[in-house]
Amino acid sequence: MTVFRGPPGRPSALVSWWRRRPPLGFAAKVSIAIALGLSFVVTWTTLAPTSSSQQISTERTYFAADVADPPPGALAPPRNATARAVHRKPRPASPRARKKRRAPPGSRRPNATPSPDAAALRSNLTDPDARPEPEQPNKPEPEWEWEDEQEPELSVPEDDADATGKAPKEEENDDKAPALEWADESSELDAEEEEDPEAAKGKASKKKKKKLPPLFSPAAHYHWKLCSAKSGHHYTPCVDFDGDGSQKHHERSCPRSPVTCLVSLPKEYKLPAPWPERKEKIWYGNVGHPRLSSYAKDHSWLNRTGEHLVFPPEESEFKGGARHYIDTIDEMAPDLDWGKNIRIALDIGCKSAGFGVALLEKDVITLSLGLTNDQTDLAQVALERGIPATIGSLGSRRLPFPSGSFDIIHCSECNIPWHSNGGKLLIEMNRILRPGGYFIISSRHGDLESEEGISASMASVCWNVIAYNSDDVSELGVKIFQRPASNDEYDLRAKKDPPFCKEEQNKATAWYTPIKHCLHKAPAGIEERGSEWPEEWPKRLETFPDWLGDLQTRASADHSHWKAVVEKSYLDGLGINWTNIRNVLDMKAVYGGFAAALSSEKVWVMNVVPVHAPDTLPVIFERGLVGVYHDWCEPFSTYPRSYDLLHADHLFSRLKNRCKEPVAILVEMDRILRPGGWAIIREKLEILDPLEAILKSLHWEIVMTFRKDKEGIMSVKKTTWRP
């Protein structure tokens, strides 16, 4: 201890005083301690700043429901569960059951759905900050916080991926699971992650927890380049064969490496006209190519006039017009009751999309399926016109739709060999057609051989001919078949070929799932989906059937939530001009609440249910809406510049570390969104902030951002910039 000393030879006054001071008593010591403590509290209270997060929470609490997720527990019933299991209440989970394995990156396990017990467990362990708040009926209008964004100079990820390489075989999986330790039971488990009990047993002894890296590195720099595909601005990764537009894959086959290059734009690209003008006239330069030009010369219903492709409303691929063709069908089967009993149709083989255009007037949404072997790319033309369309193939795999989806399936002169290969394609139609649904097929006179083969195949699946007519105006022979609504007719078959599928063969799985030569039984119990026809449209949009069980409340809450958000925020508060919006893509739909909220607008919505999420797509179709399954670790099955608006609600945070290069999802968004199109992104701030930097590197315009606590929403607009 160092002591201050005075001059040498004489003790200092301080030391002398200290030696003479009497010792303090216990009471004096306590008094001094209390006085010092009170002084510290008063000083801290006066000088300590108020937390900014507390200020935001106080000022913006009414906006929480707009930023947060939809109502909690948006989970679907298990696909393999019986009707009784749908209504089963979840049991409390043990601590051991809470330790789960994360789904491996790029997993192609088709549409797996957790059990009710696992679903309830994961719902309880979800981050409470990300849980939504119920929408209040009389909530005041949100006051948006507008931010002036300045674009930073970002150099962006060096793209050396092979965007034109051949795709792996179906059973191959290049993605490797990250070397992660098991988290303790306090870690966040997402409702979309899959459960692997067998792997959990082997890893149960590991207790160390390794923090996962961020989805997007904030220190990453990006350098974009154009794709070198020969198909140029028509490049569709999982369809084009080695990037050569003259050849296409027979079935979906994606590049091995994620596509991180940008698709070029047509020269002098022009924004499409507002709806409904674009239905009858589009810019040829936006979709034009030599094969389309040659095709237009031979068809009167597709006229190239100057810079436009014009579709005369009185003409179509049907002689006499599509309206006359629909009237012929009405006379054959007046009980169809378009727009009420029949709401969702699938039109196989996309030509002029005249069938779907004519049914739009009857309040029927028709999804045109453009086949990948069609070199004319008429599905791209349909999307440019604002007609619902997607591309796919009829081969060895199932289509990406749930079972019992469509009220009606139509095929006119599509030249599909339904009776070949044991009638497998017809078996797939039987799977996706609703029990009691209709199949309409038409062909030119004289095609007797094909007609006889088709009739035999129809008989094998017990489809009944309810009407037949030979129309002199359209010069088409039209047949209407109906799928049995019960299993009685199947049981009466003399020859059980095709046989019934085994119980373990799930009819719900549809992502990279091969078509089996067997028939799935029709739903028998009243608690099963498909045992009864849905309510008439539009009542079915807001009617949640009994087979949903306890999920009725959740679906209803989801509907109310998105209705309030769209009305209060999306239609007026994001700066979007909705008169130029027609094709909308909901990248992570749950119960279709977002699409239902837009039903009164002049738009159509493609609802995408990710394959790693609970299977809620049957609910979406039951409500009279359309959608597909998809894995966002791969490119989407559509042509470039297909959509006017993309909606991504917590899509990236739900992907976790599934995708090899998550930035490829943003590249895909850039490919399928047209220039001048919009994207609405709702995310956690830890993901939204780096997302904003990446979008700026793509030269997208950040129109509006709003942040509250850990959540945020961003409205962005794509420009015509290309590297």
Side-chain angles (χ1 to χ4, degrees), residues 77-100:
R79 301 190 183 194
N80 296 326
T82 62
R84 182 179 301 174
V86 173
H87 300 278
R88 184 180 58 182
K89 294 183 178 180
R91 299 188 302 268
S94 63
R96 180 179 180 182
R98 298 184 183 181
K99 298 183 180 181
K100 295 182 174 57

Side-chain angles (χ1 to χ4, degrees), residues 411-428:
C411 179
S412 176
E413 296 187 275
C414 46
N415 299 321
I416 294 176
W418 299 109
H419 54 288
S420 64
N421 197 17
K424 275 192 174 183
L425 298 183
L426 196 60
I427 290 175
E428 175 62 1

Side-chain angles (χ1 to χ4, degrees), residues 460-678:
S460 68
V461 295
C462 297
W463 286 10
N464 300 314
V465 180
I466 63 172
Y468 173 78
N469 182 39
S470 180
D471 183 52
D472 294 333
V473 177
S474 63
E475 298 181 1
L476 290 173
V478 183
K479 274 190 176 181
I480 303 179
F481 297 85
Q482 185 175 22
R483 179 189 170 183
S486 66
N487 297 310
D488 296 341
E489 295 186 44
Y490 296 115
D491 295 333
L492 296 175
R493 291 182 299 168
K495 184 179 180 181
K496 302 295 189 296
D497 185 28
F500 280 128
C501 298
K502 297 179 180 179
E503 293 294 335
E504 62 270 16
Q505 292 176 324
N506 193 348
K507 64 180 178 181
T509 56
W511 188 248
Y512 286 98
T513 303
I515 301 174
K516 300 295 184 181
H517 184 74
C518 63
L519 288 176
H520 291 282
K521 291 186 176 181
I526 192 174
E527 306 90 353
E528 297 183 71
R529 180 180 66 88
S531 60
E532 294 183 351
W533 199 270
E535 296 282 352
E536 289 186 350
W537 178 263
K539 188 178 178 180
R540 68 190 282 184
L541 183 66
E542 300 184 13
T543 301
F544 302 99
D546 293 337
W547 56 262
L548 272 175
D550 295 338
L551 296 180
Q552 285 179 308
T553 303
R554 298 173 182 175
S556 179
D558 178 84
H559 176 77
S560 301
H561 169 82
W562 285 112
K563 184 177 181 180
V565 169
V566 168
E567 290 178 354
K568 295 179 181 179
S569 305
Y570 283 12
L571 294 181
D572 298 319
L574 299 182
I576 299 175
N577 182 4
W578 285 89
T579 60
N580 293 326
I581 304 297
R582 171 61 183 171
N583 303 344
V584 180
L585 181 69
D586 191 358
M587 301 179 69
K588 191 183 76 68
V590 183
Y591 294 113
F594 171 68
L598 290 174
S599 60
S600 60
E601 303 297 317
K602 296 179 180 179
V603 303
W604 71 275
V605 181
M606 175 68 82
N607 296 277
V608 177
V609 173
V611 295
H612 63 278
D615 183 18
T616 55
L617 193 54
V619 184
I620 292 173
F621 274 93
E622 193 80 8
R623 302 183 67 183
L625 307 170
V626 296
V628 293
Y629 296 115
H630 182 61
D631 185 351
W632 283 111
C633 297
E634 300 179 359
F636 192 63
S637 292
T638 193
Y639 291 101
R641 306 171 301 280
S642 294
Y643 289 93
D644 305 320
L645 185 143
L646 307 179
H647 183 247
D649 176 42
H650 291 82
L651 171 71
F652 298 94
S653 57
R654 296 299 187 262
L655 288 173
K656 299 296 183 184
N657 287 325
R658 295 189 70 256
C659 303
K660 185 182 297 183
E661 292 188 42
V663 73
I665 305 172
L666 289 168
V667 174
E668 180 64 3
M669 293 173 65
D670 182 87
R671 186 185 73 88
I672 64 181
L673 184 64
R674 66 165 174 83
W678 295 77

Side-chain angles (χ1 to χ4, degrees), residues 84 146 243 257 300 385 409 418 429 455 616 648:
R84 182 179 301 174
W146 296 86
S257 300
S300 61
R385 297 176 64 189
I409 298 177
W418 299 109
M429 297 298 103
S455 298
T616 55

Side-chain angles (χ1 to χ4, degrees), residues 127 170 223 229 273 342 374 397 403 447 558 573 615 654:
D127 183 4
E170 181 178 341
H223 175 71
I342 302 297
D374 178 13
R397 299 174 186 159
S403 60
D447 191 11
D558 178 84
D615 183 18
R654 296 299 187 262

Side-chain angles (χ1 to χ4, degrees), residues 45-86:
T45 305
T46 304
L47 299 179
T50 303
S51 172
S52 60
S53 62
Q54 291 176 349
Q55 292 176 353
I56 294 177
S57 178
T58 302
E59 297 172 2
R60 303 283 186 176
T61 51
Y62 57 82
F63 190 67
D66 283 1
V67 176
D69 283 334
L75 302 176
R79 301 190 183 194
N80 296 326
T82 62
R84 182 179 301 174
V86 173

